[in-house]
Coordinates of all heavy atoms in Angstrom, one line a residue:
A1 N -38.1 11.5 30.2 CA -38.1 10.0 29.7 C -39.6 9.8 29.2 O -40.5 10.1 29.7 CB -37.6 9.0 30.6
D2 N -39.6 9.1 28.0 CA -41.0 8.6 27.6 C -40.9 7.2 27.2 O -41.1 6.9 26.1 CB -41.5 9.5 26.6 CG -43.0 9.2 26.2 OD1 -43.7 8.7 27.0 OD2 -43.3 9.5 25.0
V3 N -40.5 6.4 28.2 CA -40.3 5.0 28.1 C -41.2 4.1 28.9 O -41.6 4.7 30.0 CB -38.8 4.6 28.3 CG1 -37.9 5.3 27.3 CG2 -38.3 4.8 29.6
P4 N -41.5 2.9 28.5 CA -42.4 2.1 29.4 C -41.6 1.7 30.7 O -40.4 1.7 30.7 CB -42.6 0.8 28.5 CG -42.1 1.2 27.2 CD -41.2 2.4 27.2
G5 N -42.4 1.6 31.7 CA -41.7 1.2 33.0 C -41.5 2.3 33.9 O -41.1 2.0 35.1
T6 N -41.7 3.4 33.5 CA -41.4 4.6 34.4 C -42.5 4.7 35.5 O -42.2 5.2 36.6 CB -41.4 5.9 33.6 OG1 -42.7 6.1 33.0 CG2 -40.3 6.0 32.6
G7 N -43.6 4.1 35.3 CA -44.6 4.2 36.3 C -44.3 3.5 37.5 O -44.6 4.0 38.6
L8 N -43.6 2.4 37.4 CA -43.3 1.7 38.6 C -42.2 2.4 39.5 O -42.3 2.5 40.6 CB -42.6 0.3 38.2 CG -42.2 -0.7 39.4 CD1 -43.5 -1.1 40.2 CD2 -41.7 -2.0 38.8
V9 N -41.4 3.0 38.8 CA -40.2 3.9 39.4 C -41.0 4.9 40.2 O -40.8 5.4 41.3 CB -39.2 4.3 38.6 CG1 -38.2 5.3 39.4 CG2 -38.4 3.1 38.0
A10 N -41.9 5.7 39.5 CA -42.7 6.8 40.0 C -43.5 6.4 41.2 O -43.4 7.1 42.3 CB -43.5 7.4 38.9
W11 N -44.1 5.2 41.1 CA -45.0 4.8 42.3 C -44.1 4.4 43.5 O -44.4 4.7 44.6 CB -45.8 3.7 41.9 CG -47.0 4.1 41.2 CD1 -47.3 3.7 39.9 CD2 -48.1 4.9 41.7 NE1 -48.5 4.3 39.6 CE2 -49.1 5.1 40.7 CE3 -48.4 5.5 42.9 CZ2 -50.2 5.8 40.7 CZ3 -49.5 6.2 42.9 CH2 -50.5 6.4 41.9
F12 N -42.9 3.9 43.2 CA -41.9 3.7 44.3 C -41.5 4.9 45.0 O -41.6 5.1 46.2 CB -40.7 3.0 43.8 CG -39.6 2.6 44.8 CD1 -39.8 1.6 45.8 CD2 -38.5 3.6 44.9 CE1 -38.8 1.6 46.8 CE2 -37.6 3.4 46.0 CZ -37.8 2.4 46.9
V13 N -41.2 5.9 44.2 CA -40.8 7.3 44.8 C -41.9 7.9 45.5 O -41.7 8.3 46.7 CB -40.3 8.3 43.7 CG1 -40.1 9.6 44.2 CG2 -38.9 7.7 43.0
A14 N -43.1 7.8 45.0 CA -44.4 8.3 45.6 C -44.6 7.6 47.1 O -44.8 8.2 48.0 CB -45.5 8.3 44.8
A15 N -44.4 6.4 47.0 CA -44.7 5.4 48.1 C -43.7 5.8 49.3 O -44.1 5.9 50.4 CB -44.6 4.0 47.8
H16 N -42.4 6.1 49.0 CA -41.6 6.3 50.0 C -41.6 7.7 50.6 O -41.5 8.1 51.7 CB -40.0 5.7 49.7 CG -39.2 6.7 49.1 ND1 -38.9 6.7 47.7 CD2 -38.4 7.6 49.7 CE1 -38.0 7.6 47.5 NE2 -37.7 8.2 48.6
F17 N -42.1 8.6 49.7 CA -42.3 9.9 50.3 C -43.7 9.9 51.1 O -43.8 10.6 52.1 CB -42.5 11.0 49.2 CG -41.2 11.6 48.8 CD1 -40.2 11.0 47.9 CD2 -40.6 12.7 49.4 CE1 -39.1 11.5 47.6 CE2 -39.4 13.3 49.1 CZ -38.6 12.7 48.2
I18 N -44.7 9.1 50.7 CA -45.8 9.0 51.6 C -45.4 8.3 52.9 O -45.8 8.7 54.1 CB -46.9 8.1 50.9 CG1 -47.4 8.8 49.7 CG2 -47.9 7.6 51.9 CD1 -48.4 8.1 48.7
A19 N -44.5 7.3 52.9 CA -43.9 6.6 54.1 C -43.2 7.7 55.0 O -43.4 7.8 56.3 CB -43.1 5.5 53.8
Y20 N -42.3 8.5 54.4 CA -41.6 9.6 55.1 C -42.6 10.6 55.7 O -42.6 10.8 57.0 CB -40.8 10.4 54.2 CG -39.4 9.8 53.9 CD1 -38.8 10.2 52.8 CD2 -38.8 8.9 54.7 CE1 -37.5 9.7 52.4 CE2 -37.6 8.4 54.4 CZ -36.9 8.9 53.2 OH -35.6 8.1 53.0
T21 N -43.7 11.0 55.1 CA -44.8 11.8 55.6 C -45.4 11.1 56.8 O -45.7 11.8 57.7 CB -45.7 12.1 54.5 OG1 -45.1 12.7 53.4 CG2 -46.8 13.1 55.0
A22 N -45.8 9.9 56.6 CA -46.5 9.2 57.7 C -45.6 9.1 59.0 O -46.2 9.2 60.1 CB -46.9 7.8 57.2
V23 N -44.4 8.8 58.7 CA -43.6 8.7 60.0 C -43.5 9.9 60.7 O -43.6 10.0 61.9 CB -42.1 8.2 59.6 CG1 -41.1 8.4 60.8 CG2 -42.1 6.8 59.0
F24 N -43.2 11.1 60.0 CA -43.1 12.4 60.7 C -44.4 12.7 61.4 O -44.5 13.2 62.4 CB -42.8 13.5 59.7 CG -41.2 13.5 59.7 CD1 -40.6 13.1 58.6 CD2 -40.6 14.3 60.6 CE1 -39.1 13.2 58.5 CE2 -39.1 14.3 60.6 CZ -38.4 13.7 59.5
L25 N -45.7 12.5 60.7 CA -46.9 12.7 61.3 C -47.1 11.8 62.5 O -47.6 12.3 63.6 CB -48.0 12.5 60.4 CG -48.2 13.7 59.3 CD1 -49.2 13.3 58.2 CD2 -48.6 15.0 60.0
A26 N -46.8 10.7 62.4 CA -47.1 9.7 63.6 C -46.1 10.2 64.8 O -46.6 10.1 65.9 CB -46.7 8.3 63.2
V27 N -44.9 10.5 64.5 CA -44.0 10.8 65.7 C -44.5 12.1 66.2 O -44.5 12.3 67.4 CB -42.6 10.9 65.1 CG1 -41.6 11.6 66.2 CG2 -42.1 9.5 64.8
T28 N -44.8 13.2 65.4 CA -45.1 14.3 66.0 C -46.6 14.3 66.8 O -46.7 15.0 67.7 CB -45.1 15.5 65.0 OG1 -45.3 16.8 65.5 CG2 -46.2 15.4 64.0
L29 N -47.5 13.6 66.1 CA -48.7 13.5 66.8 C -48.8 12.5 68.1 O -49.7 12.7 68.9 CB -49.8 12.9 65.8 CG -50.1 13.9 64.7 CD1 -51.0 13.3 63.7 CD2 -50.8 15.2 65.2
S30 N -47.7 11.7 68.1 CA -47.7 10.9 69.4 C -47.0 11.6 70.5 O -47.1 11.1 71.7 CB -46.9 9.5 69.2 OG -45.5 9.9 68.8
A31 N -46.5 12.7 70.3 CA -45.7 13.5 71.4 C -46.8 14.5 71.9 O -47.8 15.0 71.4 CB -44.5 14.3 70.8
D32 N -46.5 14.8 73.2 CA -47.5 15.8 73.9 C -47.0 17.2 73.7 O -46.4 17.8 74.7 CB -47.6 15.4 75.4 CG -48.7 16.0 76.1 OD1 -49.7 16.6 75.5 OD2 -48.5 16.3 77.3
W33 N -47.2 17.7 72.6 CA -46.7 19.1 72.2 C -47.7 19.9 71.9 O -48.8 19.5 71.3 CB -45.7 19.0 71.1 CG -44.4 18.4 71.2 CD1 -43.7 18.2 72.3 CD2 -43.7 17.8 70.2 NE1 -42.5 17.6 72.1 CE2 -42.4 17.4 70.8 CE3 -43.7 17.7 68.8 CZ2 -41.4 16.7 70.0 CZ3 -42.8 17.2 68.0 CH2 -41.6 16.5 68.7
P34 N -47.7 21.3 72.2 CA -48.7 22.2 71.8 C -48.5 22.4 70.2 O -47.3 22.3 69.7 CB -48.4 23.5 72.5 CG -47.0 23.3 73.0 CD -46.6 21.9 73.1
R35 N -49.5 22.5 69.5 CA -49.4 22.7 68.0 C -48.5 21.6 67.4 O -47.5 22.0 66.7 CB -48.9 24.1 67.6 CG -49.9 25.1 68.0 CD -49.5 26.6 67.8 NE -48.5 26.8 66.9 CZ -47.8 28.0 66.8 NH1 -48.1 29.0 67.5 NH2 -46.9 28.0 65.8
P36 N -48.9 20.4 67.5 CA -48.0 19.3 67.1 C -47.6 19.3 65.6 O -46.5 18.9 65.2 CB -48.6 18.0 67.5 CG -50.1 18.4 67.5 CD -50.1 19.8 68.0
L37 N -48.4 19.7 64.8 CA -48.2 19.6 63.4 C -47.0 20.6 62.9 O -46.6 20.4 61.8 CB -49.5 19.8 62.5 CG -50.5 18.8 62.7 CD1 -51.8 19.2 61.9 CD2 -50.1 17.4 62.3
L38 N -46.9 21.6 63.7 CA -45.8 22.6 63.4 C -44.6 22.1 64.1 O -43.4 22.9 63.8 CB -46.3 24.0 63.7 CG -47.5 24.4 62.9 CD1 -47.8 25.7 63.4 CD2 -47.1 24.3 61.4
R39 N -44.4 21.2 65.0 CA -43.2 20.9 65.7 C -42.2 20.1 64.8 O -41.1 20.3 64.9 CB -43.5 20.0 67.0 CG -44.2 20.9 68.0 CD -43.4 22.0 68.5 NE -42.2 21.7 69.2 CZ -42.0 21.6 70.6 NH1 -42.9 21.8 71.3 NH2 -40.8 21.3 70.9

């Protein structure tokens, strides 16, 4: 698409993927696991 308003939708998608990433990082780093970033 090359229509106005696509930026808002794209930023929404980016924001929720950032939120998903943050949740997984927060949960894995809060656990007492060896090599937590790979758990």
Side-chain angles (χ1 to χ4, degrees):
D2 191 24
V3 296
T6 59
L8 184 59
V9 174
W11 281 116
F12 175 78
V13 173
H16 90 263
F17 272 86
I18 290 167
Y20 279 158
T21 300
V23 167
F24 274 102
L25 283 172
V27 169
T28 194
L29 292 174
S30 68
D32 188 26
W33 291 335
R35 296 177 18 193
L37 294 178
L38 298 178
R39 289 301 297 260

